[in-house]
Amino acid sequence: MVEEKPNKYDQQESLPIPTYNEAISSRPSSSQSFLGPSEISHDAERQGLLGRRQPQHDGYHVPTVQSARSSLDFLPSSGENSPRGSTEELRREILQMDVVEPGADGDSRGLLLRGNLSKRITTLTQSLSSINLPFRQWLPSRDYILDKIPFLIRDLRPNWIIAGRFFALVLVLFLAYLLFLSDVFAINRRQGNGSVYYYPDSIRNFVRDHINETYIREHSQYITSFPHIAGTKGSFVLAEYVQDLFIESELEEVRLEQFDVYLNYPKKGGRRVAIVDPPELTWEAKIEEELAYADKREQTLVFHGHSRSGTVKGPLIYANYGSKEDFKRLEDQGISLKGAIAIVRYYGSQGDRALKIKAAELVGAVGCIIYSDPAEDGFERGDPYPQGRYMSSDGVQRGGVSLMSWVVGDVLSSGFASLPGEQRRDSKDNNPGLNNIPSIPLAWRDAQKLLQALKGHGKKVDDYWIGGVPGVNQWWTGDSKSPIVELANEQDEVERRPIYNVLGKITGVEQPEKSIIVANHRDAWCFGAADPGSGTAVLLEVVRIFGELQKKGWRPLRTIEFASWDGEEYNMIGSTEHVEARMDGLRSDGFAYLNVDVAVSGSEFKASGSPVLQTALLRVLERVTDPFANKTLRKIWAEKGDTLKGLGGGSDYVAFQDMAGTSSLDMSFLGNPYPYHSCYDNFDWMDKFGDPGFQYHKTMAQVWALLILELADRELLTFDFEVYANAVREYVDSLEAYAREQGAQKKDLDLTVLHEAAEVFMKNAIGFHEWDKAWEEAIGGGGFESNAMAIKRISHNTRKANFETHLLDIDGGLPGREQFKHVLFAPQAWSGYDEAFIPGVRDAIDAKNFTLAQEQAEKVAGILSYASRKLNH
Ligand SMILES: [Zn+2]
């Protein structure tokens, strides 16, 4: 438990955080109309209500031998039908033999021996329901018998009766072993440590069929009932809510993990956007959104997270989307930004809001306003909220403006974890992760006046610069003679603000030290129904399902870790600090990371990730149907020609993939724009427009849960290196094309080494998967797996997961942004949400430093060839 640390932000009237008691009292309980999922699940099961849940869609699933043998929606927990039944009998028989022990009275050696034996028998019988390693390790090998038995005989000489019994026992055990090798047990290959064996297909069907959208909707309702920005009481109260549900699901080692990190919050009365000159135009922006709820619940203020504090003044200049090209266009027209306030619109050719500000800063602007244009996300696209799904005239997109593609996590602790008590801090000044000019987001309602005021100043804009703000009949760039605008953005800056991740896990039985990490962030800019409430609500349902399985005695082969991150919205802080705090452990034992941020804002399934996970994802998409289209998600994907995209920046997978080398995947159901990072991203919006009926939430939970099983519970880890090697070939080809486009001739930059390394990778990938195929043929269908084979399989799995760790340039990192270590993926330096493949080379090409690009190409080729060879050696 952590201590409550109330502070001025919690008390600030303007920050709509409920008091602790208020928040707690609105938590679900069985006595209130809102039934907490746990209460529902218990009551419902007792009363057989689960049978009344939404009509079960007959989700397509691939028939297998195993599914034919198991009932679809039935989990054997004990009894005659289960394989466990026969082993229970055997166990009883063996134990009975052990307890009848006359003649041993007073014989201490005999007792000792008996004690050891019965302990071993218990071990044996506990693991008899499986053929997994603990059992095999115990089984007397030929050497064991030859070594140990003469010794035992010598010790037992005084009591031949005991010796006789011992041999009888050995015989029984041996018979048990033979029996065990027979067909009766052959299907029964895995579990140990007291866990119960279930048919893998029955587990898959169970998770898919028991996801309950009603529970998800109720979580969503609670999560979105108050704002919860990182570092405030709202996020802390939700951390406790998540923690309680983790505990309820009997996850192990449930705890809050604290980091003390740099955050800022608006000072009351400290923000202002106003035309101050000429006098006839004086005007002041409203800045805040209207109240989203009739009950006038408090809302978070409008600001940019990690924005520079300060008050600036200057002529206003419009710069389209604020990309470097846009500022270049102004310069080409002779319009200087020196000392100006830039106004730019969201989205477009620069999708990363932090880089819009950085681009303005680099050309000499002293402040930057970013507004939401209705042509991008408002009424020009469709009805705005509350009539439709789009941004309303007063809706504002808040958001972090730290430079996530340059420094990720706590910007004052780049490269190390901000653990409580950590003394080291980087400076806020000249920090590569922070912008140096103040900025603020605005609604188009406010931007309208500013854009109108530009009329007659500078140049009329090019057509593609014209936005959709009504009432602006002429769009002008503005120049140094534009009306003067004051931008105030006074922030309270807290250098060490506690944030809390929630952690819990289910330990695996075969490789308990190896983890599949499953997570979503919890902090939101306001109520956060889509971002990230949809992901949080789905995560909680996935945890409930795995809790149910666990209560029935099921255990995965590898450990499943669940996490709810804090501080994502500022700069992926919670996840990054977590990774930095356990970097070595993750590099050796992090098998995969499965991220969901916005689970649902529409109905189109999108995924990005390491190509090594593509096959696992496709298998899962084949088993899940779209709730309305009556087709599998895989079919829909194929029809749309959709593919697994590369990982850029913008959510919590960055530290896992790019620093720890943990193969990562990020998933979402997306759609048209919505009131992103606005207080209108709330429950009412989700319920009416985002996902009425919460069917896509349910579908995401199915995909996520099945993917967890795919990675945590398949004997052969579903990693596909042929897909990966093919992808790398494409990365190299497109990098080559990019280099030529950027003016690097072959004499400047020769990428032959990279092409060759891609081929080495392909060759090794093919060779590597031969073993998978051989294993599948010999054992995959239910055959007997020898001890030696199992050891090989486990080491084979470990090598799969180590591959991406080997792709890290651990001592180097990308020149200029050394936190990023992966040689194949990083966020693009100048487009943080997008991915850069082979980023070391790409960055150098962008800097027109072809010598560095050549060096980087050789380095990457070396690392890739090494990692490829390590697959097979
Ligand atoms: Zn998010």
Side-chain angles (χ1 to χ4, degrees), residues 267-338:
K267 271 197 175 111
K268 199 160 190 220
R271 288 154 305 126
R272 178 172 135 96
V273 173
I275 302 176
V276 293
D277 195 59
E280 66 274 19
L281 287 182
T282 49
W283 164 89
E284 185 163 340
K286 285 188 179 162
I287 297 181
E288 304 304 343
E289 296 183 299
E290 302 301 318
L291 294 179
Y293 284 99
D295 64 9
K296 300 199 163 91
R297 70 185 76 174
E298 287 178 297
Q299 299 181 177
T300 34
L301 301 177
V302 161
F303 78 114
H304 278 149
H306 280 165
S307 57
R308 180 63 64 181
S309 198
T311 301
V312 289
K313 225 190 277 187
L316 185 69
I317 296 179
Y318 173 62
N320 194 23
Y321 293 112
S323 66
K324 285 208 285 190
E325 294 70 31
D326 291 330
F327 286 109
K328 175 84 172 35
R329 176 80 186 116
L330 286 172
E331 194 196 321
D332 291 347
Q333 291 170 290
I335 296 163
S336 164
L337 268 288
K338 289 262 178 309

Side-chain angles (χ1 to χ4, degrees), residues 521 523 531-532 568-569 597-598 650-651 677:
H521 75 90
D523 64 305
D531 185 7
E568 189 273 350
E569 292 293 0
D597 184 330
V598 177
S651 196
H677 291 179

